[in-house]
Amino acid sequence: MKRAIFKGVGGYLPEKIVTNADLEKIVDTNSDWIIQRTGIEQRYFAAEDQATSDLAAAAANKALTHAGLDAADIDCIIVATTTPDLTFPATAAIVQAKIGMKVGTAAFDVQAVCSGFVYALTIANSFIVSGQHKRILVIGAEIMSRLLDWNDRTTCLLFGDGAGAVILELAEGKGDVNDRGILSTHLHSDGANTNLLYTTGGPGTNGISGKLVMLGRDVYRHAVQRLAEVVEETLLANNLEKTAIDWLVPHQANKRIIESTAEKLGLSMDKVILTVARHGNTSAASVPLALADAVENNRFKPGELLLLEAMGAGLTWGSALVRW
Ligand code: UT7
């Protein structure tokens, strides 16, 4: 049976660090509140002359180096982003050229906001399992700082910029849960709740990008519930007990939401990849950045079972079960 295995992982964070103390100077807030409510201690902001494709290309190059591959070895690139360089063309096409992939390889974006990487990973997995592509670069890249409303203290301190990239490669498996690679993916959305998290503009309405609006408490409630459901669904689909999971690799929006998911899995926090303190919520970049952090720190051993999950605007949510 065809499987998609992880061949390389890379993350990129811009140079500029913005601490909670920096934000105290411009927003009516305090660092203790931010840490208590979210676990965030700092975030990174892109430089003025950096575009989302620059962050994505930097992460992609790191993933290529990690995999020992060249850009010419990749036959498809998918970028998950909610902050594309331009309304069109796709940021993936821009990155394809920036990193020197072959002309003619496939390139497109996926928009599912904070769940975007899990959605993109699902598509890439399907392409590989169906035999359409052999090596796919899947990137989550965001410059969320450009969507922030600095008059809204309930949202402006939550988000940061960054990019994470993985390379999926075709491998043969036996077709059971002991195979390496992506074992299952699960995607969901609830368009009845678009009003809980959105921007105040877009190319098809008022022609501006708009600013981020979030009803935080409601999103929090949905996140805790939906993530618990999707974790349960993932275990059931693979006929596994929760004790089978070695690592939780969650979307990094709020430490308390992550703790709630870990608790339901009976996982201690040292089995959870936690990066939210260092870079806040980087939307679609969050899960691949967590993967990159874990790989850099040699945390995963071959054969271990990883549960990736995310939840975001849409509302959208999803998971992927991966044997490393
Ligand atoms: O990535 C997509 C998914 N996104 C998420 O998962 C985010 C989900 N939501 C959250 O993480 C949390 O709801 C927040 C971190 C956004 C907010 O935490 P909360 O515990 O839900 O706080 P709250 O909105 O209920 O506000 C609690 C209090 C309020 O004061 P009162 O009404 O209790 O007197 C707020 O006015 O905290 C106050 N507050 C602040 N205080 C200092 C709100 N923002 C701030 C602030 N600094 N920045």
Side-chain angles (χ1 to χ4, degrees):
M1 178 177 172
K2 288 189 175 67
R3 293 287 195 188
I5 60 161
F6 283 70
K7 190 71 184 161
V9 183
Y12 171 80
L13 291 160
E15 263 176 43
K16 186 180 175 189
I17 295 176
V18 180
T19 64
N20 291 349
D22 293 331
L23 292 182
E24 280 178 359
K25 291 178 199 143
I26 53 167
V27 180
D28 176 21
T29 190
N30 62 82
S31 184
D32 290 345
W33 187 93
I34 304 173
I35 293 172
Q36 265 177 26
R37 301 279 171 153
T38 71
I40 300 167
E41 291 169 23
Q42 60 169 48
R43 67 287 290 142
Y44 293 77
F45 281 0
E48 258 174 52
D49 62 353
Q50 278 183 311
T52 297
S53 60
D54 294 319
L55 276 52
N61 283 327
K62 284 198 184 172
L64 286 167
T65 304
H66 180 236
L69 292 169
D70 192 79
D73 300 322
I74 306 294
D75 52 14
C76 174
I77 173 171
I78 309 175
V79 174
T81 186
T82 199
T83 52
D85 286 17
L86 304 168
T87 300
F88 73 84
T91 302
I94 301 170
V95 180
Q96 181 199 41
K98 277 190 179 166
I99 63 172
M101 282 172 62
K102 281 186 192 148
V103 170
T105 50
F108 62 97
D109 288 358
V110 167
Q111 161 59 302
V113 204
C114 295
S115 312
F117 179 78
V118 176
Y119 269 74
L121 197 71
T122 299
I123 297 167
N125 181 48
S126 304
F127 280 173
I128 287 179
V129 169
S130 71
Q132 183 156 348
H133 293 288
K134 286 197 173 64
R135 261 196 219 114
I136 307 183
L137 188 51
V138 187
I139 306 175
E142 302 280 18
I143 302 190
M144 295 304 285
S145 59
R146 299 202 178 126
L147 292 179
L148 298 178
D149 174 357
W150 289 103
N151 294 313
D152 179 5
R153 70 173 183 161
T154 67
T155 56
C156 67
L157 37 82
L158 302 174
F159 295 88
D161 307 336
V166 305
I167 295 163
L168 293 183
E169 187 178 81
L170 173 66
E172 282 301 321
K174 292 198 173 87
D176 60 33
V177 286
N178 297 313
D179 285 350
R180 283 186 64 211
I182 298 176
L183 298 175
S184 74
T185 57
H186 307 269
L187 301 180
H188 298 284
S189 60
D190 168 15
N193 277 310
T194 48
N195 62 321
L196 299 185
L197 182 48
Y198 60 95
T199 59
T200 54
T205 51
N206 55 7
I208 57 166
S209 335
K211 295 295 175 198
L212 187 148
V213 178
M214 176 167 72
L215 303 184
R217 223 178 282 187
D218 292 312
V219 175
Y220 188 103
R221 196 167 43 80
H222 281 278
V224 167
Q225 184 194 331
R226 296 308 196 182
L227 291 172
E229 285 169 12
V230 84
V231 162
E232 196 59 38
E233 178 189 356
T234 311
L235 292 171
L236 257 175
N238 293 280
N239 204 13
L240 290 170
E241 296 294 325
K242 60 186 182 182
T243 48
I245 305 297
D246 294 302
W247 294 98
L248 179 64
V249 189
H251 171 47
Q252 313 279 326
N254 185 316
K255 190 176 174 212
R256 290 185 294 144
I257 297 176
I258 297 170
E259 284 169 345
S260 153
T261 311
E263 198 184 312
K264 291 201 176 86
L265 273 169
L267 269 185
S268 66
M269 286 305 283
D270 59 343
K271 288 297 192 179
V272 177
I273 306 303
L274 202 62
T275 55
V276 65
R278 194 156 69 96
H279 57 61
N281 184 346
T282 57
S283 183
S286 145
V287 171
L289 271 171
L291 282 173
D293 188 83
V295 167
E296 254 171 51
N297 293 299
N298 290 318
R299 299 194 75 184
F300 306 147
K301 291 190 192 66
E304 285 188 323
L305 203 54
L306 280 50
L307 181 57
L308 283 48
E309 47 87 333
M311 143 93 193
L315 299 173
T316 55
W317 63 100
S319 68
L321 188 73
V322 174
R323 191 166 300 282
W324 200 248

